Amino acid sequence: MIGIFDSGVGGMTVASTVEQICPQIPLLYFGDVAHTPYGSKSAETILGYARCNIDFLLEQGAKVIIIACNSAAATSIQTLRAEYSVPIIDVITATVSKATEGTKKNRNRRIGIIGTRATIQSGSYEEQIKQRCPACHVYGQECPLLVPLIEEGWLNHRETKMVVRRYLMPLRQHQIDTLILGCTHYPLLTHLIQKRIGRQVQLVDSSIEAAQCLKSFLDNSPEIISNTREKKKNSQPHHLEKNRFFVSDVTPSLQKLANKIFGRNINLIKTDA
Ligand code: DGL
């Protein structure tokens, strides 16, 4: 069983990609909607939430954890890995690898990152990019208004376009060739972001990279696969309905967004983690 958490629906972009590339692996999702957004909170508070989320997923039977929240990964990953013996996959490491490989190939080594305030201020992406590619120039842009707009379901509103435009302006001026979507909510705005930053800029989606990272991890860890794989007589993918989606609060806009991300009705189970 794979346990995935985020502050809200953002991590569902990771869960949905995991369903597509590892359809036989059962998932448990926890969205800490009651405490969203994480990105404007202190590192200490985010760490406390992350611990509760992991404890909840482990109690429910998770054998591998994906931190599908850049804000939690950026601020807390080292502490969490030191505290828990379970394998923990995070969105940032995988994303950095893809972005640096991309920018080294016939590109200008200028990487932009958009994320929450907690993610950008942690310097975590910049540090990891510099380790892999010291010659890269890194430009971070905090986008604190995007998560609330997305959680509200304002994916095509004029106001959202204006905010995207405002946040991307400095990155356009820096002539970046690669842009990291450093928040798992942002894939829901890919259409606006790509249009505004320009088609020549390669977008790196942290939700896709985290899901790919899980797949490689499972391919190299057969013992975990046999523990987590659905035990079925035939080899058909397990019924996706068996995946469980827990949230610490439910609202109509959240339900709508969850259904949109997965393209089916998602049964959100309210729980106090
Ligand atoms: N989706 C999350 C992230 O990747 C969290 C957004 C938030 O709660 O601020 O950072």
Side-chain angles (χ1 to χ4, degrees):
M1 188 101 70
I2 305 295
I4 303 179
F5 80 84
D6 178 47
S7 64
V9 291
M12 288 185 186
T13 60
V14 178
S16 156
T17 313
V18 170
E19 275 192 349
Q20 286 162 36
I21 64 174
C22 308
Q24 74 281 28
I25 306 291
L27 297 184
L28 275 176
Y29 185 83
F30 180 69
D32 192 10
V33 180
H35 295 126
T36 197
Y38 280 10
S40 51
K41 299 197 169 64
S42 69
E44 192 188 358
T45 299
I46 298 172
L47 174 62
Y49 292 153
R51 283 186 181 125
C52 293
N53 301 344
I54 293 178
D55 291 344
F56 172 75
L57 291 168
L58 294 179
E59 276 163 26
Q60 299 296 318
K63 300 286 182 252
V64 178
I65 298 292
I66 303 186
I67 304 182
C69 174
N70 285 265
S71 309
T75 53
S76 314
I77 187 69
Q78 281 163 357
T79 311
L80 294 171
R81 287 213 171 106
E83 289 178 356
Y84 292 90
S85 55
V86 68
I88 300 180
I89 291 169
D90 74 286
V91 270
I92 296 182
T93 313
T95 307
V96 164
S97 155
K98 171 84 176 185
T100 50
E101 276 162 28
T103 197
K104 280 183 196 166
K105 282 186 200 148
N106 301 324
R107 289 171 166 262
N108 69 12
R109 300 184 190 219
R110 290 170 174 259
I111 302 177
I113 307 152
I114 51 174
T116 65
R117 193 161 275 154
T119 298
I120 300 302
Q121 289 188 358
S122 74
S124 184
Y125 268 107
E126 182 162 6
E127 196 180 307
Q128 291 198 40
I129 290 171
K130 289 282 188 187
Q131 274 167 13
R132 281 182 168 263
C133 176
C136 281
H137 298 276
V138 185
Y139 304 95
Q141 175 66 49
E142 301 171 2
C143 306
L145 296 176
L146 292 186
V147 167
L149 286 165
I150 293 166
E151 296 260 341
E152 193 55 36
W154 283 29
L155 306 182
N156 272 308
H157 284 52
R158 196 164 56 93
E159 293 80 357
T160 310
K161 290 179 187 165
M162 284 164 57
V163 172
V164 166
R165 181 184 181 151
R166 174 81 182 261
Y167 285 145
L168 294 183
M169 201 183 297
L171 298 176
R172 278 169 61 106
Q173 283 165 358
H174 287 303
Q175 299 183 325
I176 57 166
D177 62 49
T178 303
L179 177 62
I180 294 175
L181 305 185
C183 172
T184 51
H185 282 67
Y186 299 171
L188 292 161
L189 295 180
T190 299
H191 55 297
L192 301 185
I193 293 169
Q194 185 79 72
K195 197 168 165 200
R196 176 50 47 190
I197 198 70
R199 302 277 160 210
Q200 74 288 359
V201 174
Q202 182 195 22
L203 298 192
V204 182
D205 178 339
S206 61
S207 65
I208 296 176
E209 299 316 316
Q212 298 283 7
C213 182
L214 172 73
K215 181 161 180 358
S216 320
F217 174 77
L218 293 178
D219 288 346
N220 291 315
S221 312
E223 70 292 348
I224 292 184
I225 293 181
S226 58
N227 286 339
T228 56
R229 196 189 294 274
E230 181 85 353
K231 290 189 175 51
K232 278 180 74 82
K233 292 198 178 81
N234 61 40
S235 59
Q236 293 298 312
H238 73 98
H239 296 293
L240 298 179
E241 289 72 25
K242 287 190 178 167
N243 293 341
R244 285 179 294 155
F245 298 88
F246 295 95
V247 282
S248 51
D249 197 11
V250 185
T251 60
S253 60
L254 177 79
Q255 181 68 65
K256 211 169 143 192
L257 216 45
N259 296 348
K260 182 181 168 66
I261 292 170
F262 287 93
R264 66 178 192 273
N265 282 335
I266 295 294
N267 178 27
L268 295 176
I269 308 161
K270 186 173 177 316
T271 181
D272 301 317

